Amino acid sequence: MTASAPPEHSGHATLDITGMTCAACSARVERALSAVPGVSEAAVNLMTGVASVAYDPARVSPAALTAAVRETGYGAEISVPDRDPRARLAGRDARQEEEIRALSRRFWPSAAAAVVTMALSMRLHDAAMIGAGALRYLLLAITSPVLLWAGGSFFTRGWRAARHGSADMNTLVALGTGAAFGLSLAVTIWPEWFTSRGLAAEVYYEAVTAIVAFVLLGRLLEARARSRSSAAIRRLAGLAPVTVHRIRGDVEEEVALEQVGLEDVLISRPGERIPVDGSVVAGYSNVDESMLTGEAAPVAKTVGSRVTGGTLNGLGALRIRAVAVGSDSSLARILAMVEQAQETRPPIQRLADRIVGVFVPVVLGLALLVLVVWWLAAPGGGLLHGLVAAVSVLIIACPCALGLAVPAAVMVATGRGAEHGILIKSGEALERAAAVDLVALDKTGTLTEGRPSVTQMVVTESSPEAESRLLLEAGAVERLSEHPIATAIVRAAGARGLVLGHPEEFEALAGRGARGSVGPHRIDVGSPALMRDIGVSAEAVAAMEVRLPRQATLVFVARDGALAGALAVDDPVRPGSAEAVARLKAQGRAVVLVSGDRAPAVEALARQVGIERFESAMLPAMKLEAIQRWRAEGRVVAMVGDGINDGPALAAADVGIAMGTGTDVAMEAGAITLVGADPAGIAAALDLAGDALRVIRQNLWWAFGYNLVAIPVAAGVLYPLTGWLLSPAIASAAMALSSVSVVMNSLRLRRVR
C-alpha cells in the first residue's frame, strides 16, 4: 500500500471514487494517492468505490487528495466524516442503482445487435461475392453505433488512462474491439486487397458486438452482485424508522428521525422499531434485539431500562428519552465500524495487489508477442490468425477477478457478521481470526452474566451499624468504577437505602480494585493483592476468606490501612457458556480461563463450564504476559474480555474479542466486538472468519487459475493439436463470467449459519 512512515500527527479521509471499472483502476487510484507527499497509507476498495487515506494534515489537504485522483481521470469527492453512516449508504446505493441503470441501457441494445450480427455473419459465408459485399456494409451499419455508443466508454476511459501513462481493463477491451473493427472495416472497403494476397476476406463484426455485449453484461451482473453483497449492511441501516413520534409538552408530533435531539421524549408503539438509543421513562414491553445482538429471546424493558435504536418493540408502548442520536447512536456506530472493515484489506491480498499492478502491461506485451509469433510462424494466413489470437488475449485477460477476490468476501462476511451482532473491524482481523488455535477467556462479564450481586458480608467490628458502614464506604468508592462487581456493591448499598457520598482522590487500580477518601478515611476496596500492597497481613485476609463461600468472588475493604471487612459477590454463569466452550473445543481450539479472581472461584467456574486449564489472580500485566508467552510458543491467540483490565491483553492478542456489554476501552482494544452478551458469538465469529478465508482462497485460486489457463488458450496453444482457435466473442463471455463468478462465490457467505 504505501510508502512513507506514519506522520506524528495524522488525519484520515474517506473519498468516494467514481469511474473505476476494474482492479487496475483501483490500483492506479491507490498509486496516485500514495504518491502524494504526506500520505502515509492509502487503500482503495473496488467493491465499495471508497478510498481510505491516512495523511499528515500539515503537509497535504483533503482537496489535494481529490485533485490527485481526478488527475488520473476518475471522479473523487470527500465523504463528510460526521455524516450519519445511513446517509452515506443511501448515497452509495443511489450511485450503484444509477450504474446498474446505465449499464442496462447500453447492454440490451448491444445484445440485440450481437444476435442480429451473428445471424447475418452465418449467412455471409454462403453469400455470393456481390451479396457478401452488401452484407458486410449492413454489418458495418449495425456494429458502428454499438461500438461508438454502447462501447464508447471503453475508448474514452482507455484513452484517459493512456494520457496518464497507464492502462486498465478498458484499454484491453478498447484495443481488442478496435482491432477487430478496424480489420473488418478494411475488409469491407477493400476486400480485393486481401483476396489478391491469398488472405481470407473475413470480417469480425459479430465478435465486436458480442464483445461489447458480453463485457457490459459482465459489468451489469457484477454491479448487481456488488449491490447484493451489501444487502446485510443495508438491512441494518434500514432498521431505523424514517419518522418518529415526539412528545413536546402535551402535544404529540410526527417528525423526521434527523430532527430528534438529545433529551427528546419519543413514543414507541407495539410492533414499531425503537427510534433511538434511549432510556425508558414510562411503559413496559419486551423488545426483540436479535437484529443487533443475534440473541433471539426478547428482553424485558421497563422504567430505567436502556433501549437501542433499530430494535423491535413488542406488545407494550414505551416512552423513551433520547440519550444518543445521529452518528453517536449504536446503530450508526455499528454501521460505521462495518464500513471501516470493508475499506480495509487482509494480508492475503498483497500478492493479488502486486500482480494487478503489472497485469495490463504484461497482457499488452503478450498480445503483441502472440501476433508476431503467429505472423512469423505462418507467413500466409498467420497475420489474420495472429490478429484474432491477439484480440482474444486482450479480451479474455481479466484483472477484475483478482481485484474482487478478497474485498468481495470481506464485504459479505463483515455484513453477515454485523447482522448477527459480530462486528469485525478489519479484513486483517478476519484473516487472523481464522487461524486462532487458543482462546483465552476472561471470567466476569464474559462467561458470567456480568450482573453480580452481594450475597454475604463479614466485618471486623461488632457494632450493629458495621455492615451498613462498610457498604456505605465501599459503595461510595465503587460508584465511580465501571466494573460489574463495583456495580453490585453500589446496588447492595442502594437496597439498604444508603445514600452514597462522593469520594475524593478516587483511583482505579486495574485488576486490583479502587481507592478513595470517604470523609476523613482512606478506603481501599479490592483483591487480596491490594490488601497486601497496603500492608494488611496475609493471615488476616486468610482468616476472613474461610468465613465466606469458597466459590464466590471476594472483595476486601480496608479503612485507613486496616482490614474492615469483606463481601462475597456471586455472578451467575451465562446459560450459553458451557455450550460455547464445548463448541470452541469441537473446532479444535484450546480454551484457557484467565481471571483476576482468586483461585477457588476461578476453579469452580472452570469446572462448571468444562474448562480444564485456568489461571487465577491475574493482574492486567500478568494477562498480557500470558498472551505474549502463548504467542511466543507459536500459538495464534484470541483474547475475550469486557473490562478495562482486559484492554492490554485484548490489544496484545492476535485477535482481541470484546464483549459488547463491556467498557469502551475493551471494545476499542478488540479487533472483533460481540454486540450481544452471548458467549456463543465467540465460536460463531471464529467460524465466520474461517468460512470467509476459505472463500477468499477459492476466489484467488479461481482468479489466478482462470488467467493462467485462459490466456494461453486464447493465444492459440491448442491450435497445433486441434486446429481450434478461440473466438474473440467466446473470450469476451469467459472474461465477463470470471469476475462475476468471484462475487457470486463470495455471496455464498450470506448463507453461513
Side-chain angles (χ1 to χ4, degrees), residues 521-541:
H521 303 290
R522 192 195 76 179
I523 306 298
D524 292 270
V525 185
S527 65
L530 176 60
M531 296 299 107
R532 287 196 299 272
D533 289 347
I534 64 173
V536 175
S537 69
E539 293 77 11
V541 170

Side-chain angles (χ1 to χ4, degrees), residues 261-642:
L262 292 176
E263 301 298 320
D264 279 355
V265 176
L266 312 173
I267 293 179
S268 177
R269 294 187 170 85
E272 292 182 344
R273 292 281 175 190
I274 302 293
V276 295
D277 293 0
S279 176
V280 177
V281 294
Y284 173 84
S285 186
N286 289 306
V287 175
D288 180 356
E289 299 181 336
S290 60
M291 283 300 291
L292 290 180
T293 66
E295 296 181 31
V299 181
K301 302 292 182 181
T302 187
V303 175
S305 298
R306 292 292 297 267
V307 291
T308 304
T311 54
L312 184 63
N313 192 11
L315 299 178
L318 298 174
R319 288 198 177 196
I320 301 161
R321 176 172 286 108
V323 297
V325 297
S327 58
D328 293 327
S329 68
S330 297
L331 182 58
R333 290 169 65 190
I334 288 171
L335 292 173
M337 192 178 294
V338 176
E339 277 191 300
Q340 178 185 348
Q342 293 178 348
E343 292 168 8
T344 63
R345 65 187 65 187
I348 197 172
Q349 189 172 350
R350 290 171 186 159
L351 177 60
D353 287 343
R354 287 197 292 270
I355 292 176
V356 165
V358 299
F359 187 90
V360 175
V362 168
V363 169
L364 290 173
L366 285 174
L368 181 60
L369 179 64
V370 166
L371 175 60
V372 172
V373 169
W374 271 97
W375 193 357
L376 297 177
L383 178 60
L384 287 179
H385 281 172
L387 187 59
V388 171
V391 168
S392 296
V393 168
L394 291 172
I395 296 300
I396 206 167
C398 184
C400 298
L402 284 169
L404 293 170
V406 178
V410 170
M411 188 169 184
V412 177
T414 52
R416 180 64 172 163
E419 280 189 297
H420 292 269
I422 301 169
L423 303 181
I424 302 166
K425 292 186 178 180
S426 67
E428 185 177 359
L430 194 69
E431 182 177 343
R432 289 202 311 264
V436 164
D437 59 10
L438 186 149
V439 180
L441 299 170
D442 178 45
K443 172 177 170 283
T444 303
T446 301
L447 294 178
T448 64
E449 292 279 2
R451 291 192 295 270
S453 58
V454 175
T455 57
Q456 196 173 333
M457 198 183 325
V458 293
V459 292
T460 55
E461 296 179 351
S462 57
S463 65
E465 297 82 16
E467 287 190 359
S468 294
R469 182 184 180 189
L470 188 77
L471 265 182
L472 194 66
E473 293 172 335
V477 171
E478 295 285 33
R479 68 180 298 176
L480 297 182
S481 173
E482 292 181 316
H483 198 282
I485 291 177
T487 304
I489 295 172
V490 172
R491 278 201 307 268
R496 292 200 178 196
L498 303 175
V499 179
L500 300 178
H502 293 276
E504 297 177 359
E505 301 176 0
F506 173 81
E507 182 182 2
L509 307 168
R512 295 185 296 161
R515 66 163 55 108
S517 296
V518 180
H521 303 290
R522 192 195 76 179
I523 306 298
D524 292 270
V525 185
S527 65
L530 176 60
M531 296 299 107
R532 287 196 299 272
D533 289 347
I534 64 173
V536 175
S537 69
E539 293 77 11
V541 170
M544 195 159 281
E545 280 183 334
V546 298
R547 299 169 60 187
L548 293 167
R550 175 178 171 79
Q551 75 279 4
T553 297
L554 302 186
V555 179
F556 296 88
V557 183
R559 184 184 303 117
D560 297 326
L563 187 62
L567 303 95
V569 179
D570 187 30
D571 189 7
V573 177
R574 292 191 190 277
S577 291
E579 182 182 348
V581 170
R583 185 173 171 188
L584 288 169
K585 289 181 177 180
Q587 292 174 344
R589 296 180 167 97
V591 181
V592 183
L593 178 60
V594 291
S595 174
D597 209 344
R598 64 197 189 101
V602 177
E603 182 181 4
L605 177 70
R607 190 180 300 113
Q608 188 173 350
V609 299
I611 298 176
E612 291 77 28
R613 292 177 59 186
F614 64 89
E615 299 194 23
S616 58
M618 299 279 282
L619 296 174
M622 297 167 68
K623 288 184 181 181
L624 176 61
E625 289 170 2
I627 297 293
Q628 293 171 335
R629 182 177 71 250
W630 292 324
R631 292 187 67 191
E633 293 170 358
R635 310 303 294 262
V636 181
V637 182
M639 172 68 198
V640 188
D642 78 323

